Amino acid sequence: MKTESVPVRSEGKLLVAALGCAVVHHYLFYGKTWGVSFPLFVILFYVYYYWAVREKRELRLEPSMALAVPVLLLSFTYVAHSNLLLLVFNALAVPLLIVAHTTWHMSEGRPKTPFIVRLLDQVFVQTLRYVPQPVRVAFRSLSFKMKAGRSQELMKVLIGLIVSIPLLLAVVALLASADSMFDRTLARLPALAGDLELGLTLFRILWIACIATGLFAYVRGLLQPKPWPSRSAEEHFAAGSEPPATAPAATPANAPAAGVTPSATVPRIDATVAATILVVLNAVYLLFAFVQFSYFFGGGAAELPEGITYASYARKGFAELVVVTLINLTVLMIMLYGVKRPGLAAWRFLRALLGVLVGCTGIMLSSAYLRLSMYEEAYGYTVARLLVHAFMLFLLVLFVLALVKLWRERLPLLRCYAAVTVTAYVIVNYFGIDAAVARGNIQRYEATGRLDAAYLGSLGYEVVPLLLELKRKYPDAEGVDEALQSFRSRIESGKPASWTEFNWSEWRAAKALEE
């Protein structure tokens, strides 16, 4: 019978390859800023991964490959862009998408479990199971070349060394404190060691060991995950009894299959209760929509109270409207998945109420969008405000998909939400948000003569060509010279020490400032 276990030699090759990847990781990232190094290591990881799983999964076009596209696009943002906020988020998003991609790729043919459960199991269970495995693999490879007695003695020596480290540190510290001459001798040891820089060398070795262990453990967990115990086995152990030595001779005909138990009934909301909630909410939202059409969408036919400007009116409300929109999205998802399905006529009525809820939410989002736009016209554009704009458009797409779900029940809504989320995040990264903020503020300067040049000087390098163009058109624009000087200082102080730190945006800004 063919076994699913990974042979010792294959494990050794897997560990050696992980060690090679870790050495490359150290070369690309140690003491260097992230640039072209980031996508290069992502590509290297995929080479390592597909080489490791080649016997179980062929490299071919399949649905899971769709996740590799955003992974590569987001990794290349470290070459193309310089928005610090998005780059920080990408440092979290890229590993998460890689885990999702590889877990999806390797989960074909396994027991169907919720995808989020598989993700958590892969990271926190399967990977951690194999963290000690590199030590075992290294020991086994040595023991093959030694006699049994010598390998056991070597294992004992290693255990003794590991146990002695904390004891040695404590003893050395006490002796150095007790004898000043001994302390001076210890202080001269680094000089006696020449330029080895022992502490730094140990840190680099630890860096490589940690990365190699992480890569090996993760891929090893994908190759041979520990199966989930059956429900019947869990209950058997929970009762405190031993597992049976042999299978029972016979099973009653009406007994459930092994490892399968009827799931507990999930409590659901009564349709009448749900309809009542929606009627109450929609009544309030329709009244709100009427007020919005009076002040915003009706061309301002109704006058604001004395002392309230449209800018202050806008500033006060858009955040609250976004929160209400999130509440409505939660209500909508509960109604779609948590309500007892009534009769056909009652379900049509409930869908109509949900349609009104979606429509009113669309009005709220439009109102919040207009409020924020008015606030930007009064106080200027920032990255945070443009991200809020993007988030509101993203919410609008989610509600449109939910509206489609109301009338086409076969639509896999959660999958669509996941795809839209990843797509929207990639679009935000490649939209050029810093340049968009600069363009908006420059247009506002041309209309009002007001410009926060210091803020523009704190953005990414994509702003430099726009500031240079502004300086050519308006030589007397206040603060532009200082902002450009700020960019020059940043470029001078952060000159790449290696080709791995190359960033297209920074290089283009440096060339433009030299002209």
Side-chain angles (χ1 to χ4, degrees):
M1 188 175 80
K2 184 178 179 180
T3 179
E4 289 293 326
S5 63
V6 178
V8 174
R9 289 186 179 180
S10 296
E11 274 195 323
K13 293 178 181 178
L14 195 66
L15 180 58
V16 170
L19 186 62
C21 291
V23 171
V24 175
H25 184 279
H26 175 270
Y27 170 73
L28 291 175
F29 295 104
Y30 180 77
K32 301 168 185 173
T33 58
W34 294 0
V36 70
S37 54
F38 197 94
L40 284 178
F41 187 75
V42 169
I43 294 171
L44 177 63
F45 169 79
Y46 273 119
V47 171
Y48 171 67
Y49 166 73
Y50 280 109
W51 170 81
V53 304
R54 66 193 182 281
E55 296 181 1
K56 285 195 172 186
R57 292 286 185 270
E58 296 179 1
L59 177 58
R60 63 177 185 269
L61 289 177
E62 52 187 346
S64 64
M65 287 292 290
L67 278 177
V69 176
V71 167
L72 294 175
L73 287 175
L74 291 178
S75 66
F76 273 100
T77 58
Y78 289 89
V79 182
H81 304 301
S82 57
N83 183 284
L84 182 60
L85 178 64
L86 291 178
L87 295 182
V88 170
F89 282 134
N90 290 348
L92 303 174
V94 170
L96 177 61
L97 289 173
I98 288 176
V99 171
H101 174 207
T102 52
T103 303
W104 184 7
H105 181 240
M106 292 297 292
S107 61
E108 185 181 353
R110 292 179 184 170
K112 297 298 182 182
T113 53
F115 187 63
I116 186 65
V117 175
R118 278 181 277 163
L119 283 180
L120 296 175
D121 173 64
Q122 177 58 41
V123 175
F124 296 106
V125 178
Q126 308 298 344
T127 300
L128 293 179
R129 281 180 60 230
Y130 288 103
V131 167
Q133 194 68 10
V135 177
R136 299 192 188 109
V137 172
F139 177 72
R140 279 186 303 193
S141 64
L142 290 174
S143 64
F144 286 151
K145 301 177 181 179
M146 297 181 180
K147 295 180 180 179
R150 289 187 178 181
S151 64
Q152 291 178 1
E153 290 299 321
L154 177 61
M155 189 63 179
K156 294 176 182 178
V157 170
L158 290 175
I159 294 173
L161 287 174
I162 294 172
V163 172
S164 67
I165 288 175
L167 183 62
L168 180 65
L169 292 175
V171 169
V172 168
L174 290 171
L175 291 176
S177 177
D179 191 304
S180 59
M181 293 304 295
F182 181 72
D183 188 28
R184 291 182 182 181
T185 303
L186 289 178
R188 287 199 299 267
L189 284 180
L192 296 175
D195 296 328
L196 289 179
E197 297 182 348
L198 184 59
L200 189 59
T201 302
L202 289 176
F203 177 76
R204 292 185 173 189
I205 293 173
L206 183 63
W207 176 310
I208 294 173
C210 289
I211 297 298
T213 301
L215 291 174
F216 173 86
Y218 179 73
V219 174
R220 186 71 175 79
L222 285 169
L223 283 170
Q224 192 177 1
K226 184 179 180 180
W228 285 72
S230 65
R231 184 73 178 173
S232 57
E234 290 177 347
E235 292 173 350
H236 197 78
F237 286 123
S241 56
E242 294 294 329
T246 58
T251 304
N254 59 351
V260 178
T261 58
S263 58
T265 303
V266 178
R268 292 181 176 270
I269 302 173
D270 184 80
T272 304
V273 175
T276 305
I277 295 172
L278 289 175
V279 168
V280 173
L281 285 176
N282 286 339
V284 176
Y285 292 156
L286 288 172
L287 176 62
F288 178 83
F290 173 77
V291 174
Q292 299 311 292
F293 274 99
S294 299
Y295 286 107
F296 280 96
F297 310 119
E303 295 183 0
L304 290 173
E306 186 177 353
I308 299 179
T309 63
Y310 270 98
S312 62
Y313 185 54
R315 180 182 184 181
K316 187 178 180 181
F318 79 87
E320 290 86 346
L321 288 176
V322 172
V323 173
V324 173
T325 300
L326 293 174
I327 293 174
N328 288 352
L329 182 62
T330 304
V331 171
L332 182 61
M333 298 302 293
I334 292 174
M335 296 299 175
L336 284 173
Y337 292 102
V339 174
K340 289 181 184 177
R341 189 56 58 90
L344 182 59
W347 176 237
R348 286 178 178 173
F349 177 66
L350 198 60
R351 285 195 300 187
L353 290 175
L354 289 172
V356 173
L357 178 70
V358 172
C360 291
T361 304
I363 294 173
M364 291 180 196
L365 282 172
S366 301
S367 176
Y369 195 93
L370 287 174
R371 288 167 185 261
L372 186 55
S373 299
M374 291 165 55
Y375 183 66
E376 287 171 331
E377 290 175 4
Y379 298 101
Y381 298 84
T382 66
V383 170
R385 291 166 194 166
L386 257 66
L387 287 177
V388 173
H389 272 303
F391 182 64
M392 286 190 286
L393 292 174
F394 168 69
L395 287 177
L396 182 61
V397 173
L398 297 189
F399 274 98
V400 170
L401 287 173
L403 189 61
V404 174
K405 173 70 174 178
L406 287 175
W407 306 103
R408 298 192 63 178
E409 296 186 26
R410 292 185 178 181
L411 179 73
L413 186 60
L414 297 182
R415 293 182 188 176
C416 291
Y417 276 6
V420 167
T421 301
V422 174
T423 303
Y425 185 72
V426 172
I427 290 173
V428 166
N429 271 270
Y430 279 87
F431 175 69
I433 192 166
D434 287 346
V437 168
R439 290 191 194 97
N441 281 298
I442 289 172
Q443 291 174 0
R444 178 172 173 268
Y445 171 75
E446 292 175 339
T448 65
R450 290 176 291 182
L451 179 69
D452 188 355
Y455 176 73
L456 297 183
S458 67
L459 297 177
Y461 294 109
E462 296 89 344
V463 174
V464 170
L466 298 172
L467 286 179
L468 289 172
E469 180 64 25
L470 177 64
K471 181 176 172 57
R472 281 191 286 269
K473 291 176 64 176
Y474 305 97
D476 298 330
E478 185 178 355
V480 174
D481 289 330
E482 290 78 2
L484 291 172
Q485 184 57 42
S486 172
F487 281 110
R488 289 190 184 93
S489 300
R490 284 162 57 185
I491 291 173
E492 287 296 324
S493 62
K495 276 189 175 180
S498 169
W499 64 273
T500 62
E501 301 180 18
F502 176 78
N503 180 275
W504 165 258
S505 175
E506 182 179 359
W507 178 84
R508 187 179 61 171
K511 288 293 184 183
L513 289 171
E514 289 175 0
E515 295 177 357

